[in-house]
Amino acid sequence: MKKTWSILLTLVLSVGLLAGCGNDDKSTDSGAANGGSDGSQDKKRIALVLPEKIGVNPFFALMDEGLQKAAADFNVEVKTIESTDPASIEQNLRTAVAEKYDLIITSTFQMEDALKKVAPENPDVPFAIIDTVVDLPNVRSVVFREHEAAYLLGAAAGLATKTNKVGNVVADDIPIMHKYMTGFAEGAKSVNPNVEIFVNYVGGFTDPAKAKELALLQNSKGADFVAGLSAVGDLGVFEAAKEKGFYASGQDTDNTGTDPEHVVLAQLKGTDAVVYETVKDFAEDKYSFDIRDYGLKEGGVGLTYVTHESKTPLNPFIGQDIVDQLKVISDDIIAGKIKVTNALEQN
């Protein structure tokens, strides 16, 4: 009898151990455990490796949203890997290779050095990088014409300002941010030659306190509109606008709902759409290694109320008359009648 109970206990423990396997991975993963006869083992597997944790940065949150939508629409298995610090970036990229993902997507200049090491070592693995260019034969690069949307934002500021003074609170003095600043300045000056533009750098993408301090400084100099160009730092710009009663804009997503009385515009960047399109091409065997460029014409960038609808009512500081003028400017940019400077192409 004791021997019989011992055998039964061993069987129960064995079944329990088997049932517990495969559940240690806490990262985002769609389609990995469908099992059965749905052919999940034949699914294409795609990893999104981010240079930092998604947190409150809409840029990376949108990318993950686009990935999840593509997983559902194209029946692919996806996984999002978030890097906790710069030292983990290259290791996470190598982990995705070791786990034999069919396509590895990553993003921003923060990933450039790691990708330039890992991609040449794995020439048969397809990669994509979003928001910068890595010129390698197994990498697709996806970039945006942010300067076109920035031109619209600058024109809006130039038309709406009552003080002829506006501001830019910018994440850092790095090349890609000059695409925003140059476009903004050209747009503002095109409609208001007398406008003065203040520019201050936060020194990073995740410092709302510093961004708030700079927005308050610009307002103290007379700026009645401050464009937040500092990612997570924009939250500080919004706080300053609410405290002092001036107007502000954010970027990447429509964040006008944060404070409709003061956050009156948002410069949009469709990172969700480009991730979705990248996965779509791969799932449909249409993938190629080239540079994809998304601007106003492709719907990759835009401005609330002008190129995209918003759930937030239009603030009177902007007003419909200005929106109508901006729509004409947008059409002229798309048609090539207005050429907006791309600061990255300047010497």
Side-chain angles (χ1 to χ4, degrees):
M1 180 64 71
K2 289 182 179 179
K3 185 175 183 181
T4 300
W5 278 110
S6 177
I7 292 171
L8 286 172
L9 181 60
T10 300
L11 287 171
V12 169
L13 290 172
S14 298
V15 171
L17 286 170
L18 288 170
C21 290
N23 294 323
D24 291 333
D25 189 353
K26 305 299 182 184
S27 60
T28 305
D29 205 335
S30 299
N34 291 333
S37 58
D38 68 349
S40 61
Q41 291 185 351
D42 297 327
K43 286 183 178 182
K44 292 181 177 179
R45 302 171 64 246
I46 299 171
L48 172 63
V49 183
L50 298 177
E52 58 188 68
K53 293 183 71 65
I54 291 174
V56 294
N57 191 334
F59 185 93
F60 298 120
L62 275 177
M63 291 184 68
D64 185 62
E65 288 176 18
L67 184 72
Q68 300 305 322
K69 186 176 187 302
D73 288 354
F74 303 110
N75 194 33
V76 295
E77 177 186 329
V78 300
K79 178 179 180 180
T80 297
I81 303 172
E82 303 172 57
S83 302
T84 55
D85 55 65
S88 66
I89 288 175
E90 183 176 333
Q91 183 55 51
N92 284 338
L93 207 55
R94 292 189 182 281
T95 296
V97 172
E99 293 179 357
K100 299 188 182 303
Y101 278 89
D102 299 304
L103 171 66
I104 300 170
I105 304 172
T106 187
S107 179
T108 77
F109 68 93
Q110 296 163 276
M111 298 293 302
E112 282 186 18
D113 290 343
L115 186 59
K116 288 176 181 177
K117 290 181 183 178
V118 176
E121 295 172 5
N122 300 276
D124 296 330
V125 178
F127 293 89
I129 188 164
I130 293 170
D131 209 33
T132 190
V133 174
V134 170
D135 186 14
L136 290 170
N138 57 331
V139 177
R140 171 186 285 193
S141 298
V142 180
V143 294
F144 298 89
R145 298 196 297 279
E146 299 96 341
H147 48 292
E148 294 180 351
Y151 188 100
L152 291 179
L153 180 62
L159 290 167
T161 180
K162 305 299 188 294
T163 63
N164 279 340
K165 295 179 180 180
V166 299
N168 286 181
V169 173
V170 186
D172 213 345
D173 187 5
I174 54 177
I176 191 170
M177 298 312 302
H178 284 267
K179 291 177 74 176
Y180 291 84
M181 294 151 52
T182 300
F184 183 97
E186 286 186 352
K189 294 286 186 179
S190 73
V191 298
N192 185 350
N194 297 318
V195 70
E196 185 176 0
I197 304 169
F198 305 124
V199 176
N200 292 97
Y201 299 103
V202 177
F205 291 84
T206 58
D207 193 347
K210 182 64 174 179
K212 179 179 179 179
E213 175 187 323
L214 296 175
L216 291 172
L217 173 65
Q218 293 179 353
N219 177 243
S220 73
K221 294 180 178 180
D224 58 354
F225 177 87
V226 176
L229 304 173
S230 56
V232 181
D234 291 354
L235 298 175
V237 176
F238 301 161
E239 286 183 14
K242 186 174 184 178
E243 285 184 13
K244 294 297 183 179
F246 62 89
Y247 301 97
S249 66
Q251 62 174 329
D252 295 337
T253 61
D254 183 359
N255 34 38
T256 55
T258 304
D259 178 7
E261 290 186 28
H262 303 99
V263 183
V264 297
L265 289 170
Q267 181 177 328
L268 306 173
K269 191 169 181 177
T271 55
D272 54 342
V274 300
V275 168
Y276 182 92
E277 289 295 322
T278 301
V279 174
K280 180 177 185 289
D281 281 356
F282 193 77
E284 295 179 347
D285 296 322
K286 298 176 181 177
Y287 201 74
S288 57
F289 301 105
D290 48 20
I291 298 175
R292 300 296 175 95
D293 194 6
Y294 292 82
L296 289 176
K297 182 177 181 179
E298 298 80 13
V301 300
L303 188 69
T304 47
Y305 310 107
V306 180
T307 63
H308 293 70
E309 297 296 327
S310 174
K311 294 180 181 179
T312 309
L314 179 64
N315 190 290
F317 178 73
I318 301 299
Q320 190 59 47
D321 178 61
I322 289 178
V323 168
D324 291 342
Q325 293 180 67
L326 295 173
K327 287 182 177 180
V328 174
I329 293 172
S330 178
D331 289 342
D332 285 346
I333 293 173
I334 292 171
K337 295 179 181 178
I338 295 175
K339 301 289 187 182
V340 185
T341 300
N342 180 351
L344 294 185
E345 296 177 350
Q346 302 302 300
N347 293 327

